[in-house]
Amino acid sequence: MNSHPHPAPEGNSPDPNRGRILVILLSSLFMALMAVSIVNVTLPSIQEGLGATDTGLQWILSGYALSFGIVLVAAGRAGDLLGRERIFIAGIALFTVSSLAAALAPSITWLNVARVVMGVASGLVNPQVAGLIQQHYQGVERARAFASFGAVVGVAVSVGPVIGGFLLGIFPVEVGWRTTLGINVPVGAAITVLAWRWMDLRPRPRGGRKLDIDPVGAALLGTAVLAIMLPFMLASRHPSAWWLVPGGLVLTWIWVRWERRYQAIGNQPMVDLDLFRIRSYTLGSMMIGVYFMAATSIWVIQAQLVQQGFGESALTASLLTLPAAVFTAVSAQLGGRLVVRIGRWTVVIGLLIMLVGLIATVIMTPLITQQSVPLWILAVSMAPIGIGGGLVTSPNQTLTLREVPVAQGGTAAAITQTGQRIGTAVGTAGMTGVYFHLLPHGADVAADTTYSLIGVVLVVALVISVVDALGTQRRQHTSRL
C-alpha cells in the first residue's frame, strides 16, 4: 500500500501522486462507459447466442442503468465518510469480477444478474472519480483534469460500438459478444492493482465526528430513484408502470423531510440539503440533467436513422459518430482552458454550437434520403454536436463543483450524476417514443421531428446556463464595488 500522507486540503501543497491517480481514475471511467455503449451493438448476437427474448435483452440495458442510478448518492456519501480510495478500489474489483461472470454467462438470466452487479459496481466508482479529482486538484489544474474527464466521456461512449463491431466481426457469434464483456477483466485487474499501490487507503480522519451513513435516507432516495426511472424503461411493454412515477415523487418529498429532520436532531444526513443553497451547484446540476435528456438521445436516434432509414449496419452507424467523438475530446480540452477565463459562458457557447449541428442535421437528413448528398455528410453535419458537447460537460462539472466543500465532493457529484441518469432515462424513452410513433411516415421525418424536439430541450438547458452566467457576472460586479 502506498505510504504517502493524506492529500493536503485546499490551499496546501498538492499531492505529488495526483498525475498517476488521474490516469487510474480516467481509465476506470473509460472502462465503465464503454461497457454501456459497447453492449448496444451486441444485442442481436446475445439474442442468437443465448436464445434471449426481447424482454431479456431489454434488461441487459435497463438492469445496468437502474442499479447504477440507485446506488450513486449512497456511494458518494460512503466515499466522503470512509475514504474515496477504498470505495473506488472495491467498486473496480467488483466491476472486474462481475464482467468476468457476464462474459461466461450460460443463460440470459445469469447475464442480466451480472449486468445488475456491474451497474452497482459502476455506481460505486463514478462518484469517487469526480470526488477524487476535486480532492487532488485545485483551480486551473482542476479545470484541466475535468477537461480530460469530459474527453474520456465523449470518446468512450462513441468508440464503444466501434470496438464492439470489430470484435463481433473477427470472432464467431457465440464468442464475439463475450469478448465485449471480457475485455473489462484484464483492464479492471490492472486498475485495481495500480490503485492499490498508488492510492492512500488509510482511514480518513473524522475530527471527532461519529460515523453516520443515514441508512434510512439512503433507502428512501434509492427507492425513489428506482420508482422514477423504472417506468421510462418498462412502460412501452408495461403501461401500468407509469403509476410508479407519482410514488417516486412522493418518496422524494418524504426523503427531503427525513433529511431535514435528521439534521435538525443533530445527526449527519446522507445529503446536506444546504448544498442546494449554492447557486452554481443547483443551476449546474439542473442544467446538466436537462442536457442529458437531449444529448444522449441524439446518438440513439442517429443509430436508428442510419440502420432503419438508410439500411446501413450498426458498425457504419457507429463509424459516423467518430468525427464527433474526436471533436468532443479536443473541445473538452479547449473547454478546460476557456472555463477559467469566461466561466459559464463556455457552456453557453457549447450549447449554441450543438444547436447549429442539430439544425444542419435536420437539413441534411432529407437530402441524404433523396440521395442528393452522400451518407458521410451526416458525420460532417453532426460534428458540431461533438464540438459543443465537449464545451458543455467538463466545464459544467468544473463550475458545478467549484464552490462545493471538498469534504462533500463525492456526494455532490453523485447527486448531479443521479440527475443525469434520470434525464437520460426520461429523454431516451421520450425521444425514441416520438421517433417510433412517427416512423410509419418515414425514418427521415421521424428523425427530423425528434431532433427538433431535442433542440427545444437544449434551448431550455441554454436558458438555465445564461441565467447562471448572468447571475455570476452580477455577483462579481457587486463584489468589486
Side-chain angles (χ1 to χ4, degrees), residues 400-455:
T400 302
L401 297 178
R402 181 176 55 186
E403 299 179 61
V404 172
V406 172
Q408 299 179 49
T411 304
I415 295 170
T416 300
Q417 290 179 23
T418 301
Q420 294 173 15
R421 300 285 72 76
I422 293 174
T424 298
V426 173
T428 301
M431 300 305 175
T432 54
V434 171
Y435 174 84
F436 286 117
H437 178 73
L438 296 174
L439 192 57
H441 300 284
D444 56 336
V445 173
D448 274 0
T449 304
T450 308
Y451 281 141
S452 299
L453 182 58
I454 288 171

Side-chain angles (χ1 to χ4, degrees), residues 333-357:
Q333 297 299 321
L334 174 62
R337 293 192 291 270
L338 280 178
V339 72
V340 177
R341 300 177 184 175
I342 61 175
R344 180 63 65 179
W345 294 111
T346 308
V347 177
V348 171
I349 292 169
L351 289 168
L352 289 172
I353 294 173
M354 289 187 71
L355 287 168
V356 169

Side-chain angles (χ1 to χ4, degrees), residues 280-298:
S280 58
Y281 176 75
T282 300
L283 289 178
S285 299
M286 187 186 306
M287 189 287 298
I288 204 67
V290 173
Y291 170 82
F292 267 76
M293 286 179 61
T296 52
S297 304
I298 293 172

Side-chain angles (χ1 to χ4, degrees), residues 116-348:
V116 168
V117 178
M118 287 175 68
V120 171
S122 187
L124 291 173
V125 169
N126 272 42
Q128 317 317 325
V129 173
L132 285 167
I133 289 176
Q134 191 186 23
Q135 175 180 312
H136 287 284
Y137 289 89
Q138 320 174 27
V140 175
E141 276 198 341
R142 183 184 291 173
R144 290 174 180 166
F146 276 126
S148 298
F149 178 103
V152 167
V153 170
V155 173
V157 171
S158 298
V159 81
V162 178
I163 294 174
F166 174 76
L167 292 173
L168 291 173
I170 63 175
F171 290 105
V173 171
E174 178 60 30
V175 177
W177 69 264
R178 296 180 186 276
T179 64
T180 65
L181 295 162
I183 196 174
N184 297 326
V185 177
V187 178
I191 293 173
T192 303
V193 171
L194 292 176
W196 185 270
R197 292 187 60 185
W198 293 345
M199 287 182 169
D200 182 7
L201 303 181
R202 289 177 298 174
R204 294 178 63 85
R206 294 199 297 272
R209 295 179 305 168
K210 65 177 181 178
L211 182 64
D212 191 346
I213 60 174
D214 186 13
V216 175
L220 283 172
L221 183 59
T223 307
V225 171
L226 174 64
I228 292 171
M229 288 182 64
L230 191 60
F232 291 98
M233 299 177 177
L234 300 182
S236 60
R237 290 186 175 88
H238 307 283
S240 59
W242 287 118
W243 287 104
L244 290 172
V245 174
L249 296 176
V250 170
L251 282 172
T252 303
W253 177 80
I254 293 173
W255 170 74
V256 170
R257 299 277 296 181
W258 168 264
E259 295 293 88
R260 286 176 175 166
R261 178 181 176 276
Y262 200 68
Q263 187 173 31
I265 61 176
N267 294 317
Q268 299 174 43
M270 183 178 69
V271 176
D272 184 350
L273 297 178
D274 285 342
L275 275 174
F276 297 103
R277 296 180 183 274
I278 303 173
R279 177 188 171 93
S280 58
Y281 176 75
T282 300
L283 289 178
S285 299
M286 187 186 306
M287 189 287 298
I288 204 67
V290 173
Y291 170 82
F292 267 76
M293 286 179 61
T296 52
S297 304
I298 293 172
W299 306 109
V300 175
I301 301 303
Q302 184 264 7
Q304 297 293 333
L305 172 65
V306 172
Q307 294 176 75
Q308 293 181 330
F310 303 145
E312 301 290 342
S313 67
L315 181 58
T316 298
S318 60
L319 287 172
L320 288 171
T321 68
L322 276 183
V326 171
F327 281 121
T328 297
V330 174
S331 65
Q333 297 299 321
L334 174 62
R337 293 192 291 270
L338 280 178
V339 72
V340 177
R341 300 177 184 175
I342 61 175
R344 180 63 65 179
W345 294 111
T346 308
V347 177
V348 171

Side-chain angles (χ1 to χ4, degrees), residues 357-367 381 444 447-452:
L358 268 180
I359 293 170
T361 302
V362 168
I363 293 172
M364 288 299 143
T365 298
L367 296 179
S381 68
D444 56 336
D448 274 0
T449 304
T450 308
Y451 281 141
S452 299

